[in-house]
Amino acid sequence: MPAQAQPHFSADKVLDCKGLACPMPIVRTKKAMEQIAPGEVIEVQATDKGSLADMKGWANNTGHYYLGSLQEGNVLRHFLRKASPQETKAETRYPHTITNKELQARLQSAEPFLLIDVREPAEYAFQRIAAAKSIPLGVLEQHLDELPTDRDIFVICRSGNRSDLACQLLAGKGFSRVKNVVPGMAGWTGPAENE
Amino acid sequence: MSNLQHQQAKVKKMTAHELTELLFAQEELFILDVRNSEDYENWHIEGHRVKSFNVPYFELIDGVEEIVGKLPGKQKILVVCAKEGSSVFVAEQLAEAGLDNVYYLQGGMKEWSEHLEPVKVGDLRDGGEIYQFVRIGKGCLSYMIVSGQEAAVVDSVRLTDVYEAFAKERSLTITHTIDTHLHADHISGGRKLAKSTGATYWLPEKDAEEVTFAYEKLEEGKVIQVGTTSISILPIYSPGHTIGSTSLLVDDTYFLTGDILFVASIGRPDLAGKAEDWVGDLHDTLYNRYQDLSKELLVLPAHFGSHAELGPDGVVSARLGDLYRDNPGLNIASEAEFRRVVTGQLPPQPNAYQEIRQVNMGRLQPDEEEQREMETGPNRCAVHDK
């Protein structure tokens, strides 16, 4: 069942498919996806109940990332993130990493650290580690003064690629205790929460 | 838009009635079901000579080139989806790709699940007739017993317009509506039909403990008369699927077994959460009570589980004696083994079965759309259904 909450995030594009029967919501979503940049998030508003299962199926089939859906009255709000070609390539260049499992162990230890989630707000809203602080990759540079230098910083995203870029950026700015979490939320089996 | 209209001329519409006739006649048909795979796995159209193939419509948005080669060139192809829109969308592309025998199912699986096809089972001694109403998409069977200018409807589904129209055409008055038990797989139309026709509604008392409405108690030995002739319906208490389940003997010939005994399977005892309690009753009914009856009776169940149970002309029926020979549920050696088999291999429960029971008790009043949604999918009232 879709969550019933007012989201604290917005999509890069909102597509209104209210009142349309299948196949139109998917046909329109496909067209709209062509108009947004890889990594951007689209919100599709639909009243056709079948769109819930079909949107997931279509995203799976095309490689786009289905984030989740919210229900408000009769309206289903589906959130999808457009896949980017480099995400599928495992081109990790930042050498210092920590596995999901090691991170899970650290979450249970007393040693302090900061976990940064660099995914988009919509992704963060649907599934996240409770301790993670949300700073999307695109705005990370503006938040450097909030980051500590006296403890470890772990950076997580969906598949380890955006977090790799974030680690490189932080290392370049003088942060020395930075590690990339691999593979990231896509393989996360530990405790998670949503909005 | 003009291009779309042009293409629409090439794809043909098939109604649920036309599809039913085609399945009854065991004609060859190729079905392309474009719903998502989960819905397809859960429930799809089957037939003796039906080949079916599932490709979700959202995989065909860029074109149908990839599947055209997998489809038969000359044979009828029926494209099916949930409501119709996507099947038209795909059928038009197939027509455009050069296939010229392409149909879409009018109203999709939604209409298919609500279609009722009346078929005549046979005559009664005093000139009456008995009809089976086959809800083919969902596997529900209901009955109309006709004598003189009167009719009784047994295990009516919620689509009561069909019975009323059928009666009107023949100038019949529906005087009784009977439920053999409190249904869990579909919403009963018994009360609604009784209300609109002025008929008496019958339900077994033991299934009616929590109901919110008045009804006539369906009791063993209490004869229900139809018409001016001596056609009678004799209830026989036969618990097991529910504690109140009552079978009906019509004209000493037709044996309406409700959800206790089917042609290829037997009823399940667990839909009220009392499998352990009711499995013993089910065994007693099938191995003792029914055993005492004439083996010549024609069994007419309230469900079928697979298209293989549809006989010629679509009637689902079997001689009681033949079932004692062929039905696996009637050939289990001991009661202990029966308990193990029946409680050990139960299929998934029907969709929304608990809510449906509440509706049939009058405790929930969902609107038309909600009722439709509750009834989605197959009936799953038998032990051996998958």
Side-chain angles (χ1 to χ4, degrees):
Chain A
M1 266 286 123
Q4 298 254 359
Q6 194 65 37
H8 304 289
F9 55 86
S10 58
D12 298 294
K13 185 180 175 71
V14 177
L15 180 67
D16 183 357
C17 293
K18 294 194 289 284
L20 297 178
C22 65
M24 292 322 291
I26 302 280
V27 171
R28 297 254 174 111
T29 303
K30 183 192 174 281
K31 284 209 179 116
M33 275 290 192
E34 287 161 8
Q35 293 157 13
I36 64 172
E40 285 190 328
V41 172
I42 187 170
E43 172 185 345
V44 184
Q45 301 178 343
T47 45
D48 185 350
K49 282 177 191 154
S51 65
L52 184 63
D54 293 352
M55 204 59 78
K56 283 181 200 169
W58 176 76
N60 245 333
N61 187 246
T62 51
H64 296 307
Y65 181 39
Y66 171 80
L67 305 178
S69 301
L70 301 169
Q71 184 160 15
E72 278 163 26
N74 287 331
V75 181
L76 287 164
R77 302 173 63 188
H78 308 296
F79 292 84
L80 297 103
R81 183 169 158 266
K82 183 170 178 168
S84 56
Q86 71 264 28
E87 260 176 62
T88 44
K89 284 186 236 147
E91 210 179 287
T92 308
R93 280 165 298 179
Y94 185 76
H96 308 292
T97 59
I98 175 172
T99 64
N100 281 9
K101 212 174 167 185
E102 287 162 352
L103 174 61
Q104 217 174 317
R106 277 296 293 271
L107 284 167
Q108 282 153 9
S109 78
E111 200 183 335
F113 64 93
L114 174 70
L115 176 63
I116 306 174
D117 188 326
V118 294
R119 297 174 302 158
E120 293 305 305
E123 297 175 86
Y124 179 79
F126 282 106
Q127 188 219 11
R128 66 190 176 213
I129 297 166
K133 180 182 171 71
S134 171
I135 311 178
L137 178 61
V139 298
L140 180 60
E141 217 169 334
Q142 296 147 40
H143 292 265
L144 296 177
D145 54 356
E146 297 164 24
L147 305 181
T149 49
D150 58 344
R151 49 193 154 127
D152 290 335
I153 298 177
F154 302 137
V155 188
I156 194 163
C157 70
R158 191 177 76 87
S159 65
N161 285 299
R162 279 175 283 172
S163 51
D164 178 76
L165 294 172
C167 288
Q168 290 177 50
L169 187 147
L170 293 177
K173 298 285 177 187
F175 291 90
S176 57
R177 300 179 62 176
V178 179
K179 280 185 178 172
N180 183 17
V181 183
V182 287
M185 293 308 292
W188 184 253
T189 54
E193 59 167 36
N194 57 30
E195 252 170 37
Chain B
M1 223 43 211
S2 63
N3 186 38
L4 213 96
Q5 277 156 6
H6 172 71
Q7 291 305 335
Q8 263 164 355
K10 285 167 79 182
V11 299
K12 290 163 267 190
K13 174 179 80 184
M14 190 182 287
T15 63
H17 169 67
E18 288 162 349
L19 174 58
T20 304
E21 287 193 321
L22 200 148
L23 296 180
F24 282 179
Q26 305 191 5
E27 276 181 41
E28 229 177 316
L29 180 67
F30 190 95
I31 294 179
L32 174 63
D33 192 322
V34 297
R35 293 173 301 154
N36 68 62
S37 307
E38 200 182 319
D39 287 349
Y40 177 81
E41 289 305 325
N42 185 38
W43 176 49
H44 58 261
I45 299 168
E46 294 176 330
H48 288 86
R49 296 175 69 205
V50 168
K51 278 205 185 89
S52 129
F53 180 47
N54 172 231
V55 184
Y57 72 89
F58 46 77
E59 294 184 14
L60 302 172
I61 284 177
D62 285 330
V64 294
E65 293 75 24
E66 281 183 31
I67 61 158
V68 167
K70 296 176 188 164
L71 304 176
K74 293 248 161 84
Q75 203 183 327
K76 266 183 199 167
I77 298 172
L78 176 65
V79 188
V80 172
C81 71
K83 279 180 279 187
E84 184 181 295
S86 299
S87 64
V88 174
F89 173 82
V90 172
E92 280 170 1
Q93 291 188 72
L94 293 176
E96 211 167 326
L99 294 170
D100 54 9
N101 214 356
V102 183
Y103 293 76
Y104 67 89
L105 180 62
Q106 185 181 40
M109 290 302 276
K110 180 172 141 186
E111 249 180 67
W112 180 242
S113 85
E114 299 193 333
H115 180 69
L116 276 190
E117 189 80 19
V119 286
K120 186 174 164 178
V121 178
D123 293 316
L124 306 180
R125 280 173 302 191
D126 287 338
E129 293 170 322
I130 179 165
Y131 291 89
Q132 187 175 57
F133 284 68
V134 184
R135 187 173 175 185
I136 185 166
K138 201 165 157 61
C140 298
L141 302 169
S142 48
Y143 296 90
M144 191 184 287
I145 298 148
V146 175
S147 176
Q149 293 313 114
E150 291 185 4
V153 178
V154 179
D155 288 330
S156 160
V157 297
R158 69 179 161 81
L159 312 148
T160 52
D161 293 355
V162 183
Y163 310 108
E164 290 199 60
F166 189 88
K168 198 177 169 195
E169 244 171 63
R170 290 159 183 77
S171 309
L172 302 169
T173 306
I174 296 172
T175 49
H176 300 283
T177 71
I178 306 163
D179 273 330
T180 56
H181 61 285
L182 186 80
H183 295 282
D185 66 294
H186 68 268
I187 294 166
S188 168
R191 252 189 319 143
K192 185 171 140 200
L193 187 58
K195 207 171 171 187
S196 78
T197 60
T200 307
Y201 175 55
W202 301 76
L203 184 66
E205 187 180 15
K206 285 186 176 169
D207 278 4
E209 278 169 8
E210 294 173 62
V211 305
T212 59
F213 46 80
Y215 64 98
E216 200 65 36
K217 291 172 195 165
L218 184 67
E219 281 172 30
E220 176 158 325
K222 192 157 139 191
V223 168
I224 301 168
Q225 202 73 28
V226 185
T228 48
T229 55
S230 62
I231 304 308
S232 64
I233 302 172
L234 176 66
I236 298 170
Y237 182 52
S238 53
H241 175 64
T242 62
I243 194 64
S245 287
T246 300
S247 306
L248 303 174
L249 183 56
V250 179
D251 205 26
D252 297 325
T253 308
Y254 302 100
F255 190 40
L256 278 57
T257 52
D259 281 7
I260 290 293
L261 176 61
F262 306 119
V263 167
S265 182
I266 57 174
R268 60 192 292 172
D270 64 315
L271 294 181
K274 296 179 178 167
E276 296 300 329
D277 292 350
W278 293 355
V279 65
D281 292 314
L282 184 64
H283 184 267
D284 187 44
T285 292
L286 295 174
Y287 287 77
N288 298 317
R289 289 167 201 262
Y290 278 10
Q291 272 285 12
D292 296 340
L293 301 169
S294 163
K295 297 292 176 287
E296 293 309 315
L297 294 178
L298 190 72
V299 171
L300 297 168
H303 286 297
F304 64 97
S306 128
H307 64 88
E309 292 170 63
L310 292 169
D313 307 324
V315 177
V316 178
S317 67
R319 227 183 113 258
L320 183 58
D322 292 345
L323 293 186
Y324 272 107
R325 189 189 62 215
D326 301 329
N327 188 317
L330 295 180
N331 286 283
I332 298 170
S334 67
E335 188 177 339
E337 173 73 359
F338 184 87
R339 280 178 177 273
R340 199 183 58 75
V341 167
V342 168
T343 55
Q345 51 173 244
L346 291 166
Q349 275 107 0
N351 189 51
Y353 71 103
Q354 281 159 322
E355 290 83 358
I356 290 175
R357 292 182 76 249
Q358 295 292 316
V359 176
N360 288 338
M361 288 185 228
R363 304 174 75 88
L364 275 181
Q365 281 96 24
D367 65 29
E368 188 85 16
E369 190 54 42
E370 289 166 328
Q371 293 188 23
R372 191 175 280 140
E373 224 164 274
M374 285 181 183
E375 288 191 337
T376 306
N379 70 67
R380 291 185 175 141
C381 273
V383 166
H384 298 95
D385 289 351
K386 293 210 179 65

